[in-house]
mmCIF file of all heavy atoms in Angstrom:
data_model
loop_
_atom_site.group_PDB
_atom_site.id
_atom_site.type_symbol
_atom_site.label_atom_id
_atom_site.label_comp_id
_atom_site.label_asym_id
_atom_site.label_seq_id
_atom_site.Cartn_x
_atom_site.Cartn_y
_atom_site.Cartn_z
ATOM 1 N N ILE A 1386 120.460 -3.440 4.656
ATOM 2 C CA ILE A 1386 121.347 -2.254 4.518
ATOM 3 C C ILE A 1386 121.521 -1.980 3.034
ATOM 4 O O ILE A 1386 121.486 -0.835 2.604
ATOM 5 C CB ILE A 1386 122.714 -2.565 5.191
ATOM 6 C CG1 ILE A 1386 122.573 -2.700 6.693
ATOM 7 C CG2 ILE A 1386 123.682 -1.466 4.808
ATOM 8 C CD1 ILE A 1386 123.844 -3.099 7.396
ATOM 9 N N TYR A 1387 121.701 -3.035 2.215
ATOM 10 C CA TYR A 1387 121.869 -2.899 0.788
ATOM 11 C C TYR A 1387 120.674 -2.176 0.191
ATOM 12 O O TYR A 1387 120.801 -1.218 -0.626
ATOM 13 C CB TYR A 1387 122.016 -4.285 0.140
ATOM 14 C CG TYR A 1387 123.008 -4.391 -0.947
ATOM 15 C CD1 TYR A 1387 124.375 -4.551 -0.703
ATOM 16 C CD2 TYR A 1387 122.620 -4.373 -2.285
ATOM 17 C CE1 TYR A 1387 125.286 -4.623 -1.734
ATOM 18 C CE2 TYR A 1387 123.534 -4.462 -3.313
ATOM 19 C CZ TYR A 1387 124.868 -4.627 -3.058
ATOM 20 O OH TYR A 1387 125.800 -4.710 -4.046
ATOM 21 N N GLN A 1388 119.418 -2.622 0.567
ATOM 22 C CA GLN A 1388 118.256 -2.062 -0.044
ATOM 23 C C GLN A 1388 118.075 -0.579 0.415
ATOM 24 O O GLN A 1388 117.675 0.276 -0.416
ATOM 25 C CB GLN A 1388 117.017 -2.871 0.478
ATOM 26 C CG GLN A 1388 116.918 -4.210 -0.225
ATOM 27 C CD GLN A 1388 115.767 -5.070 0.300
ATOM 28 O OE1 GLN A 1388 115.456 -4.997 1.548
ATOM 29 N NE2 GLN A 1388 115.121 -5.878 -0.476
ATOM 30 N N ARG A 1389 118.332 -0.336 1.706
ATOM 31 C CA ARG A 1389 118.127 1.065 2.170
ATOM 32 C C ARG A 1389 119.101 1.996 1.514
ATOM 33 O O ARG A 1389 118.777 3.077 1.132
ATOM 34 C CB ARG A 1389 118.346 1.056 3.693
ATOM 35 C CG ARG A 1389 118.072 2.406 4.333
ATOM 36 C CD ARG A 1389 117.832 2.344 5.859
ATOM 37 N NE ARG A 1389 119.071 1.912 6.538
ATOM 38 C CZ ARG A 1389 119.223 0.823 7.184
ATOM 39 N NH1 ARG A 1389 118.208 -0.039 7.256
ATOM 40 N NH2 ARG A 1389 120.328 0.528 7.787
ATOM 41 N N PHE A 1390 120.377 1.534 1.375
ATOM 42 C CA PHE A 1390 121.393 2.421 0.779
ATOM 43 C C PHE A 1390 121.070 2.656 -0.723
ATOM 44 O O PHE A 1390 121.204 3.784 -1.221
ATOM 45 C CB PHE A 1390 122.769 1.783 0.912
ATOM 46 C CG PHE A 1390 123.876 2.658 0.345
ATOM 47 C CD1 PHE A 1390 124.354 3.730 0.998
ATOM 48 C CD2 PHE A 1390 124.453 2.325 -0.898
ATOM 49 C CE1 PHE A 1390 125.344 4.526 0.471
ATOM 50 C CE2 PHE A 1390 125.430 3.110 -1.424
ATOM 51 C CZ PHE A 1390 125.896 4.205 -0.741
ATOM 52 N N LEU A 1391 120.667 1.572 -1.405
ATOM 53 C CA LEU A 1391 120.309 1.728 -2.838
ATOM 54 C C LEU A 1391 119.130 2.693 -2.995
ATOM 55 O O LEU A 1391 119.175 3.517 -3.927
ATOM 56 C CB LEU A 1391 119.941 0.375 -3.381
ATOM 57 C CG LEU A 1391 121.047 -0.571 -3.723
ATOM 58 C CD1 LEU A 1391 120.532 -1.980 -4.040
ATOM 59 C CD2 LEU A 1391 121.845 -0.041 -4.977
ATOM 60 N N SER A 1392 118.136 2.631 -2.126
ATOM 61 C CA SER A 1392 116.980 3.464 -2.261
ATOM 62 C C SER A 1392 117.379 4.941 -2.161
ATOM 63 O O SER A 1392 116.928 5.830 -2.879
ATOM 64 C CB SER A 1392 115.959 3.128 -1.149
ATOM 65 O OG SER A 1392 114.885 4.027 -1.196
ATOM 66 N N GLN A 1393 118.335 5.252 -1.269
ATOM 67 C CA GLN A 1393 118.793 6.598 -1.026
ATOM 68 C C GLN A 1393 119.633 7.046 -2.255
ATOM 69 O O GLN A 1393 119.503 8.211 -2.750
ATOM 70 C CB GLN A 1393 119.541 6.740 0.259
ATOM 71 C CG GLN A 1393 118.733 6.482 1.509
ATOM 72 C CD GLN A 1393 119.584 6.343 2.767
ATOM 73 O OE1 GLN A 1393 120.818 6.261 2.711
ATOM 74 N NE2 GLN A 1393 118.947 6.321 3.895
ATOM 75 N N SER A 1394 120.569 6.214 -2.650
ATOM 76 C CA SER A 1394 121.504 6.594 -3.663
ATOM 77 C C SER A 1394 120.894 6.701 -5.056
ATOM 78 O O SER A 1394 121.187 7.595 -5.832
ATOM 79 C CB SER A 1394 122.645 5.561 -3.765
ATOM 80 O OG SER A 1394 123.362 5.504 -2.515
ATOM 81 N N LEU A 1395 119.986 5.728 -5.368
ATOM 82 C CA LEU A 1395 119.320 5.789 -6.719
ATOM 83 C C LEU A 1395 118.369 6.926 -6.907
ATOM 84 O O LEU A 1395 117.922 7.236 -8.055
ATOM 85 C CB LEU A 1395 118.638 4.421 -6.973
ATOM 86 C CG LEU A 1395 119.568 3.245 -7.214
ATOM 87 C CD1 LEU A 1395 118.762 1.953 -7.174
ATOM 88 C CD2 LEU A 1395 120.379 3.417 -8.411
ATOM 89 N N SER A 1396 117.964 7.570 -5.825
ATOM 90 C CA SER A 1396 116.999 8.708 -5.948
ATOM 91 C C SER A 1396 117.629 9.833 -6.793
ATOM 92 O O SER A 1396 116.853 10.614 -7.372
ATOM 93 C CB SER A 1396 116.581 9.244 -4.571
ATOM 94 O OG SER A 1396 117.771 9.721 -3.897
ATOM 95 N N LYS A 1397 118.967 9.882 -6.895
ATOM 96 C CA LYS A 1397 119.575 10.955 -7.714
ATOM 97 C C LYS A 1397 119.721 10.514 -9.151
ATOM 98 O O LYS A 1397 120.165 11.328 -9.938
ATOM 99 C CB LYS A 1397 120.962 11.275 -7.111
ATOM 100 C CG LYS A 1397 122.020 10.208 -7.156
ATOM 101 C CD LYS A 1397 123.313 10.693 -6.502
ATOM 102 C CE LYS A 1397 124.382 9.669 -6.546
ATOM 103 N NZ LYS A 1397 124.133 8.581 -5.619
ATOM 104 N N GLY A 1398 119.325 9.275 -9.447
ATOM 105 C CA GLY A 1398 119.322 8.849 -10.849
ATOM 106 C C GLY A 1398 120.467 8.019 -11.333
ATOM 107 O O GLY A 1398 120.483 7.549 -12.432
ATOM 108 N N PHE A 1399 121.400 7.785 -10.454
ATOM 109 C CA PHE A 1399 122.598 6.942 -10.846
ATOM 110 C C PHE A 1399 123.373 6.519 -9.542
ATOM 111 O O PHE A 1399 123.123 7.076 -8.491
ATOM 112 C CB PHE A 1399 123.506 7.744 -11.760
ATOM 113 C CG PHE A 1399 124.026 9.042 -11.097
ATOM 114 C CD1 PHE A 1399 125.253 9.059 -10.437
ATOM 115 C CD2 PHE A 1399 123.310 10.188 -11.285
ATOM 116 C CE1 PHE A 1399 125.682 10.222 -9.846
ATOM 117 C CE2 PHE A 1399 123.772 11.361 -10.690
ATOM 118 C CZ PHE A 1399 124.967 11.388 -9.959
ATOM 119 N N LEU A 1400 124.316 5.579 -9.768
ATOM 120 C CA LEU A 1400 125.250 5.174 -8.687
ATOM 121 C C LEU A 1400 126.594 5.708 -9.063
ATOM 122 O O LEU A 1400 127.130 5.357 -10.126
ATOM 123 C CB LEU A 1400 125.248 3.663 -8.573
ATOM 124 C CG LEU A 1400 123.967 3.014 -8.047
ATOM 125 C CD1 LEU A 1400 124.131 1.479 -8.032
ATOM 126 C CD2 LEU A 1400 123.594 3.460 -6.642
ATOM 127 N N ASP A 1401 127.195 6.479 -8.154
ATOM 128 C CA ASP A 1401 128.596 6.987 -8.485
ATOM 129 C C ASP A 1401 129.600 6.019 -7.883
ATOM 130 O O ASP A 1401 129.266 5.016 -7.295
ATOM 131 C CB ASP A 1401 128.757 8.400 -8.004
ATOM 132 C CG ASP A 1401 128.501 8.547 -6.507
ATOM 133 O OD1 ASP A 1401 128.709 7.581 -5.806
ATOM 134 O OD2 ASP A 1401 128.113 9.655 -6.051
#
Side-chain angles (χ1 to χ4, degrees):
I1386 294 174
Y1387 218 83
Q1388 288 174 325
R1389 186 165 64 245
F1390 182 77
L1391 281 169
S1392 177
Q1393 295 170 351
S1394 299
L1395 289 172
S1396 61
K1397 64 180 180 289
F1399 59 91
L1400 293 176
D1401 57 28

